[in-house]
Amino acid sequence: MTESLLGFAILLVLILFRVPIAFAMAAVGGIGFALLRGWEPAWVLTGQVAFDTGLSYSLSVIPLFIFMGNVLAASGVAHGLFAGADRLFGRFRGGLALASVFSCGAFSAVCGSSLATAATMSKVAMPSMRKFGYDDRLATGSIAAGGTLGILIPPSVILIIYGLITETDIAKLFVAGVLPGALGIVLYLVAVRVAVMINPALAPEVEGKEPMSRTDTIGVFCVLGLFVFIMAGIYGDFFTPTEAAGMGAGAAVLIAIGLRSMTWADFRAALFDSIRATAMIFAIIIGAELFTNFINFAGLPDALADFVLDREMPVWMVMAFIMLVYLVLGCVLESLSMVLLTVPVFYPLMYQLPFESSLLLDPENALIWFAIIVVVATEISLITPPVGMNVFILKAVLQDVSLSTVFRGVFPFWIVDILRLGLLIAIPGLSLWLVGLM
Amino acid sequence: ETELVMSSWLPPRHPIVVGAMKPWAKQIEEVTEGRVTVRILARPLGAPPAHYDMAAEGVADITYGLHSFTTDERFQRSRIGQFSFLGDDAVSGSVAFWNVYSGMLDAQAEHKGTKVLGLFVHGPGMLHNNTRKIETKEDIAGLKIRTPGGYIADLMGELGASTLFMSSGEVYEKLSRGVIDGVTFPYDAIAAFNLGGDLTNTTKVPGGLYNTTWFLVMNEGKWNEISAEDQAAIESISGKAFAELVGTAWNGADEKGLAAANEAGIQIDEAPEALVATIAELAAGYEKAWSDAIAADGFDGAAALTALRAETGVEY
Amino acid sequence: MEQHRRRTTGQPPRGGLALRPVLENTLGMGAAAILAALILITCVDVVGRYFFDAPLTGAFELTEVLVAALVFTALPLTTERREHVEVDLLNAAFPPALNRYVSAFAGLFSAALLATFAWRLATHAIKTMGDGATTNALGIPLAPFGFLAAFACLVSAFLAFLRGIQPDDPTDPKPEDRP
Ligand code: NA
Ligand code: NA
């Protein structure tokens, strides 16, 4: 246990000194393993893990889902979603912020990543909100927060990786994310309304309607159609969740061609952005694999389980402790590395804890429920200072806004996120009800 | 005192882990009076196919896995355990496989860098499909069958099936989506991978249509660090004793699989004699090719096969 | 999931070759072609089996080896753009001179690590070649993919080393940007 904690500490120091997270994890993991086990085995393991991680059928979904999201982002359908949502919410004060949240949720349904969702929607929604005089805090906050839905509403790269770590059915994980994702949209809408009620200056009294062209309308139907295609394909037994990524990417290209909104340069950029993001993610996965091997060898997961079970700690206390770890780590770590570092440590506990809810007695259900909780906790980390990746995205798009403005803007959403996290922990049925219907 | 670290890639609740690996680890501690202990890691240190090399190169002390994980020629003589008509249950099959492979086929010489502690097979393999009852060779023709590769892939191909490979975890999804029409597995997989709903027919042959061979090994250097007395104690619960232990665990898993098959209403048939004869004829060709290949190193494959079948009592 | 700090322009490092276009036109085009191939394989496989009852036999294994090829081929491009996720939390707290040292440290650290990976992957590939390991059904030899991975890591190590010796980062955030 001491070795593991020391490893985490050194990892943190390296990360704070700007060593890329992937390389810091690989180095600490590799050297830690060498000190416990010897250099020769550590060298062998390093080459083997790096190579075998690349050679993965299941992980092929990562480049494919990323490419799907990038193509759709470039195809312009996001504007259709935003304008369409404005038709729903335009009559309320703060209508464009409500529309931003809602269209973020809609785009999440065809995009596997939170950062891509936030990046895409910020380009679409920010110009309008600024034009009509929205306070920067509300405008940026609603997009940064809305973007976090990308990894909860299927498809989701993080849920896939969780499924691979814990050997949980990915089709079930995707279904489990639907209701909590919808709950997230509703709570974010409430957060916008309450924020505007408390401080009416956040949103203008009157605002124009976001223009909606014919292409926009077609775009909305394309997104809806693609989501239905993916879901029906998976749950109608036409293709596997892994194959869904390839089919979705193919369909996205057809949509982009059909809409004639994408140039060759856009297409090339979508390809190149996707391959670079893929290498970035795999570097993190390889690094995390090496680090996890080290703490696994050092016996941390077993020690933790023994600690909790020997003392007969109450379940709520264990869950509260785990959530605290996520919230603290979420301050400094990026979402994927956080999941890769923590899930291997915590998930063995999920089928050993004496849960009271009968739903969680089945270990598979407990793992699915925990997946949703982990993802929501990770979503929160994306908007928690000082390192909130979604906030950085907004900042990168809007050079003249300060980071603290965005962080203050996400505060109402952060509050409802904590509320949602509590609800999901207390009521496992929110995550498991749809799974039970499969 | 020596602590041995085992990297285990099967899920922690897999019947082999629960019924063989963990009890065996406990036994080691008992027979050495606590001088040697085994710690099974909470999660494996690498991908399943890497597990032989992990033990050989000292990444872990003890690993287990399938010989067919390595697609190279290293475990050529282990292939005796892949053929048809070898044994009707996992205990007799595993004991015979251990006796013959570690005896007249000198398994230790093929397991470089490790000490062989266990060699075993699972229950008899059979052909499951969701299309029709298999009565003749023609009934197999055109079926898309998932196989683990090696002998059974060649055999099914020659019987007219088109064979596909995917990880065993993918089988459920591919079967339910019609990518494959059937699969070669022992009974246990029907329960383990929840295949009951997607299969209609199971076809058996005496002694099994095929099998897969497994190893349980310890890093050689680590083995040599253990005192002769403790080595002897460990050997007493390994080898043949371990084959019985793990065979019993597989048999229990097969019983669950059979129950799941019955519950799902899968029709189970013995292959008609004519089909068995066809398979036997094809099998003889593969057996001879294998036998010829190992003859170069001075091993008598035909005699080994006869000895193995004599031990399990399979007649076909 | 892209990085939050990225260079927006394609300017070469001072005094160096225009590395980016070279990388994009070689490794980049290769990786892009692999990505396109991955999509095609899935679509041909799925469409083939539904409409023509003819699935692509080796789809599983082709996907496996192509993902490995894609990941490692793209790695130098990610490294050149400094798109590996890193945390620049302390930048605002440090004086600029110290930040240069921190950035140089990060670059050299990355270079050393990537070089180690190149060495280990090459060793692994040599062993794989000696064993003659191939994929299960199609018999695709695995060693070439190991050598490709080693080569890509070596190129990436070189690119990270360039950052180590030229640590100035034009996109370094200004102190007032910090919360
Ligand atoms: Na999503
Ligand atoms: Na954070």
Side-chain angles (χ1 to χ4, degrees):
Chain A
M1 196 137 179
T2 324
E3 297 99 335
S4 306
L5 297 180
L6 195 64
F8 271 109
I10 297 172
L11 178 65
L12 220 54
V13 170
L14 284 176
I15 288 174
L16 288 176
F17 280 86
R18 284 179 69 175
V19 174
I21 296 181
F23 303 154
M25 290 191 293
V28 176
I31 294 171
F33 189 82
L35 294 178
L36 291 177
R37 184 70 192 175
W39 285 96
E40 191 50 38
W43 290 135
V44 171
L45 192 63
T46 304
Q48 182 198 301
V49 164
F51 189 63
D52 289 350
T53 306
L55 210 63
S56 166
Y57 175 74
S58 320
L59 290 179
S60 67
V61 296
I62 291 176
L64 296 172
F65 272 139
I66 288 177
F67 179 65
M68 180 175 96
N70 281 346
V71 167
L72 288 173
S75 74
V77 295
H79 185 266
L81 294 178
F82 180 60
D86 189 44
R87 294 295 173 283
L88 289 176
F89 300 106
R91 58 208 157 91
F92 299 104
R93 185 158 191 172
L96 286 176
L98 296 168
S100 301
V101 165
F102 192 81
S103 50
C104 275
F107 193 71
S108 301
V110 289
C111 179
S113 134
S114 281
L115 302 190
T117 305
T120 306
M121 295 313 301
S122 63
K123 283 173 212 145
V124 173
M126 262 328 276
S128 296
M129 285 197 274
R130 296 202 119 179
K131 192 170 83 193
F132 295 113
Y134 272 70
D135 190 298
D136 277 341
R137 283 174 293 174
L138 179 63
T140 55
S142 54
I143 299 171
T148 65
L149 296 167
I151 53 170
L152 184 55
I153 297 174
S156 159
V157 168
I158 297 260
L159 278 177
I160 289 166
I161 287 172
Y162 179 96
L164 294 178
I165 299 174
T166 60
E167 298 182 355
T168 313
D169 189 335
I170 288 165
K172 288 183 178 168
L173 290 175
F174 276 8
V175 168
V178 172
L179 275 187
L183 178 66
I185 297 179
V186 172
L187 286 175
Y188 284 169
L189 293 175
V190 170
V192 173
R193 288 296 290 157
V194 171
V196 172
M197 260 191 275
I198 292 173
N199 180 5
L202 288 175
E205 219 175 323
V206 281
E207 58 187 39
K209 255 200 161 59
E210 180 69 18
M212 187 158 178
S213 65
R214 217 174 72 89
T215 321
D216 283 335
T217 313
I218 297 171
V220 171
F221 283 103
C222 285
V223 170
L224 196 68
L226 184 56
F227 182 68
V228 171
F229 173 69
I230 292 173
M231 288 296 149
I234 295 177
Y235 301 102
D237 283 352
F238 293 103
F239 40 73
T240 66
T242 317
E243 290 167 343
M247 295 300 288
V253 171
L254 292 183
I255 287 174
I257 292 173
L259 291 176
R260 293 161 191 267
S261 50
M262 216 167 85
T263 63
W264 265 113
D266 292 337
F267 184 69
R268 190 187 135 105
L271 272 172
F272 274 64
D273 285 349
S274 305
I275 59 168
R276 290 198 316 274
T278 302
M280 182 273 276
I281 290 174
F282 271 77
I284 291 178
I285 296 176
I286 292 170
E289 187 72 19
L290 287 167
F291 189 82
T292 309
N293 273 343
F294 156 59
I295 55 173
N296 177 30
F297 198 88
L300 181 64
D302 289 332
L304 189 73
D306 290 347
F307 182 86
V308 166
L309 298 174
D310 288 353
R311 280 169 188 68
E312 293 178 359
M313 281 169 73
V315 173
W316 67 264
M317 197 193 277
V318 179
M319 293 309 295
F321 165 75
I322 292 177
M323 288 308 111
L324 191 69
V325 170
Y326 275 93
L327 293 183
V328 170
L329 280 182
C331 292
V332 275
L333 275 184
E334 163 277 346
S335 55
L336 179 61
S337 13
M338 193 162 93
V339 166
L340 286 166
L341 284 177
T342 54
V343 168
V345 179
F346 290 136
Y347 91 88
L349 266 179
M350 289 306 129
Y351 43 78
Q352 298 176 55
L353 284 178
F355 290 110
E356 273 168 26
S357 162
S358 57
L359 273 174
L360 300 179
L361 294 181
D362 176 353
E364 195 189 11
N365 277 347
L367 285 178
I368 292 171
W369 168 75
F370 187 58
I372 301 307
I373 290 170
V374 167
V375 165
V376 172
T378 307
E379 285 184 328
I380 295 175
S381 81
L382 291 169
I383 53 173
T384 310
V387 180
M389 298 293 275
N390 270 20
V391 172
F392 293 160
I393 292 278
L394 266 292
K395 163 73 193 147
V397 174
L398 303 165
Q399 301 287 344
D400 58 327
V401 177
S402 81
L403 272 176
S404 55
T405 303
V406 191
F407 274 122
R408 268 184 282 152
V410 297
F411 185 67
F413 302 97
W414 193 88
I415 297 281
V416 294
D417 266 350
I418 299 285
L419 177 69
R420 177 160 57 122
L421 186 58
L423 282 174
L424 290 171
I425 294 176
I427 313 172
L430 285 173
S431 312
L432 295 173
W433 182 62
L434 281 179
V435 179
L437 294 184
M438 273 174 77
Chain B
E1 288 190 9
T2 313
E3 185 195 63
L4 303 169
V5 176
M6 180 197 271
S7 176
S8 168
W9 52 272
L10 282 169
R13 285 158 292 156
H14 190 280
I16 299 316
V17 179
V18 175
M21 299 306 166
K22 285 181 180 169
W24 177 74
K26 263 249 152 54
Q27 286 172 9
I28 287 190
E29 192 172 337
E30 283 160 17
V31 295
T32 61
E33 287 157 343
R35 287 183 299 276
V36 182
T37 55
V38 179
R39 178 161 70 98
I40 302 180
L41 294 177
R43 96 190 253 288
L45 290 171
H51 272 67
Y52 183 79
D53 287 337
M54 280 165 51
E57 307 191 38
V59 172
D61 298 319
I62 302 175
T63 65
Y64 61 88
L66 287 104
H67 289 108
S68 58
F69 275 162
T70 50
T71 44
D72 45 62
E73 299 289 308
R74 268 189 280 178
F75 304 111
Q76 208 178 23
R77 297 195 290 278
S78 76
R79 291 179 196 165
I80 187 174
Q82 292 189 2
F83 289 118
S84 312
F85 320 116
L86 291 185
D88 280 312
D89 80 286
V91 172
S92 67
S94 293
V95 170
F97 178 62
W98 163 263
N99 284 340
V100 172
Y101 183 27
S102 75
M104 55 196 293
L105 294 182
D106 195 5
Q108 183 60 66
E110 282 193 323
H111 292 72
K112 290 195 175 60
T114 66
K115 161 74 182 172
V116 179
L117 292 173
L119 298 165
F120 55 101
V121 295
H122 58 47
M126 37 197 88
L127 173 61
H128 314 279
N129 83 89
N130 59 14
T131 310
R132 54 187 165 243
K133 183 175 174 183
I134 306 292
E135 292 185 289
T136 63
K137 183 183 164 188
E138 284 65 40
D139 292 331
I140 297 176
L143 291 180
K144 294 187 285 288
I145 304 291
R146 186 270 181 190
T147 72
Y151 162 76
I152 184 63
D154 294 341
L155 179 70
M156 293 308 297
E158 209 164 331
L159 287 167
S162 55
T163 61
L164 277 83
F165 176 73
M166 65 207 63
S167 63
S168 50
E170 290 267 324
V171 168
Y172 170 81
E173 288 184 338
K174 302 276 183 185
L175 204 54
S176 63
R177 286 162 177 85
V179 184
I180 49 176
D181 309 311
V183 59
T184 58
F185 264 145
Y187 273 135
D188 94 285
I190 296 176
F193 300 117
N194 192 22
L195 305 180
D198 291 306
L199 293 170
T200 57
N201 290 81
T202 289
T203 312
K204 298 164 55 169
V205 304
L209 185 60
Y210 79 103
N211 215 310
T212 51
T213 69
W214 299 60
F215 59 81
L216 169 72
V217 295
M218 189 191 298
N219 176 270
E220 195 177 23
K222 203 76 184 185
W223 173 254
N224 292 334
E225 284 173 25
I226 298 172
S227 73
E229 177 200 355
D230 287 342
Q231 281 183 347
I234 292 170
E235 278 181 323
S236 73
I237 54 149
S238 304
K240 181 161 172 282
F242 183 77
E244 282 168 4
L245 181 70
V246 73
T248 308
W250 276 126
N251 281 354
D254 277 351
E255 272 167 36
K256 283 197 188 123
L258 177 58
N262 286 332
E263 197 180 322
I266 297 175
Q267 192 189 333
I268 300 168
D269 298 294
E270 295 284 348
E273 265 178 45
L275 180 57
V276 174
T278 309
I279 294 172
E281 197 185 322
L282 293 172
Y286 289 107
E287 288 174 12
K288 177 158 191 320
W290 167 76
S291 192
D292 289 348
I294 64 168
D297 296 325
F299 291 93
D300 187 345
L305 267 167
T306 308
L308 199 156
R309 288 185 173 123
E311 274 203 44
T312 58
V314 172
E315 286 175 32
Y316 62 97
Chain C
M1 287 206 190
E2 58 262 64
Q3 229 281 73
H4 59 279
R5 292 187 321 100
R6 59 169 60 190
R7 293 189 192 194
T8 44
T9 52
Q11 85 278 31
R14 274 164 304 152
L17 282 163
L19 279 172
R20 183 170 301 170
V22 173
L23 285 171
E24 287 192 343
N25 287 327
T26 53
L27 295 175
M29 290 312 277
I34 294 170
L35 180 54
L38 279 170
I39 299 172
L40 217 57
I41 287 170
T42 312
C43 293
V44 167
D45 186 27
V46 172
V47 172
R49 78 177 177 242
Y50 272 99
F51 295 97
F52 310 102
D53 195 32
L56 196 62
T57 306
F60 182 87
E61 288 177 11
L62 276 177
T63 301
E64 248 181 8
V65 294
L66 286 181
V67 170
L70 167 63
V71 168
F72 288 106
T73 315
L75 186 67
L77 277 77
T78 310
T79 311
E80 191 269 334
R81 291 211 190 205
R82 297 194 195 170
E83 284 180 352
H84 291 291
V85 179
E86 55 185 62
V87 172
D88 43 16
L89 197 58
L90 297 181
N91 275 33
F94 291 161
L98 184 57
N99 271 332
R100 291 197 63 217
Y101 283 113
V102 169
S103 185
F105 166 73
L108 294 176
F109 189 102
S110 305
L113 190 103
L114 285 162
T116 310
F117 268 94
W119 167 48
R120 290 322 308 170
L121 280 162
T123 314
H124 186 75
I126 290 168
K127 181 179 178 333
T128 306
M129 192 167 67
D131 292 342
T134 64
T135 63
N136 189 308
L138 296 181
I140 306 168
L142 292 176
F145 294 92
F147 287 116
L148 174 69
F151 171 73
C153 282
L154 196 64
V155 175
S156 305
F158 171 71
L159 294 165
F161 178 74
L162 286 184
R163 174 191 179 180
I165 55 175
Q166 292 183 326
D168 282 322
D169 186 342
T171 60
D172 267 348
K174 296 161 197 70
E176 64 269 20
D177 285 346
R178 292 279 118 193

